Amino acid sequence: MASKSFSFRLPDEIVQFVESSQLEGETLNQTAQRLFIDFVKRNNPLSTDLTTVADIQELVKQEVAASLGEVRSQLEAQLEELRGKLKAR
């Protein structure tokens, strides 16, 4: 997986919080990274319990099926419209 480096300043009160959250042997940057990743995982609706490939595959199947159902409904409506026009001729 590709990664990117981020660099930004934090207010003193946030730095104090990060320092108080450090694990033994962890640098301040590592602590900030861990806290940020934990925050994103907790606040990302797609990260809820997707722990296995099978879970992800099932979610993809459901989304694809839903999308195909919508497309199928639109095509059927268009087909019925065309049939009506043909009958009117």
Side-chain angles (χ1 to χ4, degrees):
M1 178 186 334
S3 65
K4 295 201 181 241
S5 177
F6 291 87
S7 176
F8 51 87
R9 295 190 177 279
L10 296 172
D12 288 340
E13 58 272 9
I14 301 295
V15 173
Q16 290 172 358
F17 173 78
V18 173
E19 287 173 337
S20 71
S21 302
Q22 275 183 287
L23 301 176
E24 190 167 329
E26 196 174 49
T27 66
L28 196 57
N29 283 336
Q30 290 169 329
T31 305
Q33 179 185 19
R34 176 176 52 80
L35 293 172
F36 181 75
I37 290 171
D38 288 346
F39 174 82
V40 170
K41 285 182 178 179
R42 281 194 313 273
N43 292 288
N44 181 354
L46 295 178
S47 69
T48 56
D49 296 328
L50 292 179
T51 55
T52 67
V53 171
D55 292 336
I56 295 170
Q57 288 174 334
E58 184 58 33
L59 179 61
V60 170
K61 284 179 187 177
Q62 291 172 4
E63 292 298 319
V64 168
S67 294
L68 286 175
E70 291 175 24
V71 170
R72 184 177 290 124
S73 294
Q74 291 172 356
L75 288 174
E76 287 174 355
Q78 290 175 351
L79 181 60
E80 286 304 312
E81 183 181 335
L82 289 172
R83 286 179 178 155
K85 288 179 180 178
L86 283 174
K87 286 182 181 178
R89 286 184 174 186

